[in-house]
Amino acid sequence: MRIHILGVCGVFMGGLALLARALGHRVGGTDRRCYQPMKGLLCREGIQMREGYDPAGWRHPAPDLVLVGNALARGNPSVEFLLNSGLPYISGPQWLAEQVLRRRRVLAVAGTHGKTTTAAMLAWLLADAGLDPGFLVGGVAENFGVSARLGTGDFFVVEADEYDSAFFDKRSKFVHYCPRVLVLNNIEFDHMDIFDSLAAIRRQFHHLLRVVPGSGQVIAHAGDPEIQSVLEMGCWTPVERFGAPDGRWQARPLRPDWGRFEVLDGSRRVGEVQWRLFGRHNADNALAALAAAVHAGIAPESACRSLASFRPVCRRLQRLATVRGIEIYDDFAHHPTAIRATLQALRGAVGKRRILAALEPASHTMRRGGHGRELARSLGEADRVLLCRPAGLRWDLEEATAELGGRREVYGEAEEIGRRLCELARPDDVILLMSNAAFGDLPRLLPARLAADAA
């Protein structure tokens, strides 16, 4: 079958392209912009891409099926052509459910934060145990080098996103997946472009709980009140908890930066993890992945050993380079809670070294001002803050971050921030780039620019 994917460079749709090709289909795609890391991954995997949504670029020969990404809306020229042509089309989540998940034991990871890292960890725990799982996560998992793999085993790990499925299917993606094991990391207000309140998000998570069988397992963060509210709306599946004092699975730090910690099952010590990650939030992610792996038949002691070889997902506090004694990190920042956790983790790792944090508030919710009041407080651990004001921002970035005082600078272009970082940075500094968009390609350009300035 010839399949064309609209929105192919999104991490989810790009993952579907890899799975469709693994199933034997001929796969191509278009996107408004083809950017990293998915552009490089799809090129390496032989997926043909075109930039732009002019249907002339993909309608000849006509595909047998079109997968439609949720970034496309009515008025898009490819969408209008598709509807007028009568070609068959389907949402990405529905295609995944029907063509891949129906034959597998699905382990899904949901929540506002930590989905990608936790899902990648879980896939690695299963793979390291020799179970050859399939997986689809929202980033390039460095242990595998790809964002999705079909696998040959019974299990399939999927990052379960609450974002809507397509312009014609406004249900959250995760409702399609019908997991047997469901991880709930946390729930906060996000995706302001499709949800008008936290109550609307709770409702979608409740819909997710409705499709988890009674013979399955829900693994929930014990310290999250919103998760508890959703569970109280109705849950028909046994619930096991991790984190917080009353959770079954606990982590106890053996180093201040959480780069080494022990894992407890109740009061029983089951193992120790020493790994490349740091931060309490990543230890919680590890507990969630370990608990799910145990329900897949892996001993907790073995899971702890496997976590030691887990490598971070691209753009999740990813160390890019060290240039002139300056460490550069990249993080997929999209929410003040995640920004705060990332900076706290980095501070725990680098101690009193100076942190230069550069942020592009590019998510739909940030652009609309949904997190403006919390943003300044989330940046408290940074010594200097450079903010990029993206086009279309609906609130006053300078006013919202005024409490940062002289530590904060605001610029209109990523290029300006790159130049300013080169001026400011000195040996032993740490630079943290934060954006859920391309950020003017700074993660690629900045290390080279710092090196050139030293030449």
Side-chain angles (χ1 to χ4, degrees), residues 370-441:
H371 298 314
R373 294 179 181 176
E374 296 87 10
L375 186 58
R377 281 168 284 178
S378 73
L379 292 160
E381 291 288 353
D383 297 286
R384 298 292 291 267
V385 176
L386 284 68
L387 299 170
C388 183
R389 187 193 304 106
L393 199 68
R394 300 187 183 183
W395 48 286
D396 191 325
L397 186 57
E398 287 91 339
E399 180 182 347
T401 58
E403 65 186 79
L404 293 172
R407 291 189 293 142
R408 181 265 281 138
E409 303 173 22
V410 180
Y411 296 91
E413 300 289 341
E415 170 68 24
E416 298 175 276
I417 288 180
R419 287 197 298 267
R420 182 59 172 151
L421 284 171
C422 289
E423 295 170 357
L424 286 173
R426 54 181 185 254
D428 210 38
D429 281 351
V430 180
I431 294 175
L432 174 62
L433 304 174
M434 295 181 286
S435 174
N436 71 333
F439 208 172
D441 210 16

Side-chain angles (χ1 to χ4, degrees), residues 31 65 98 103 111 128 138 161 195 205 209 233 236 257 291 301 317 328 370 390 445:
D31 209 320
L65 180 67
E98 293 179 356
R103 298 178 291 276
D128 203 40
D161 188 0
F195 297 118
F205 276 88
L209 287 176
M233 294 170 71
W236 299 265
D257 65 355
E301 296 82 359
L317 199 47
I328 307 168
L445 296 174

Side-chain angles (χ1 to χ4, degrees), residues 288-303:
L290 181 146
V294 167
H295 284 281
I298 297 173
E301 296 82 359
S302 298

Side-chain angles (χ1 to χ4, degrees), residues 27-81:
V27 184
T30 49
D31 209 320
R32 182 168 61 92
R33 289 178 306 185
C34 297
Y35 50 83
Q36 303 296 351
M38 290 308 297
K39 178 180 180 180
L41 172 60
L42 294 175
C43 285
R44 289 195 303 274
E45 296 296 321
I47 306 297
Q48 298 297 313
M49 295 173 291
R50 289 179 179 268
E51 289 205 5
Y53 284 123
D54 184 347
W58 61 268
R59 63 187 181 185
H60 298 298
D64 301 298
L65 180 67
V66 179
L67 273 58
V68 183
N70 64 1
L72 285 87
R74 288 302 304 265
N76 179 290
S78 279
V79 167
E80 297 307 312
F81 168 77

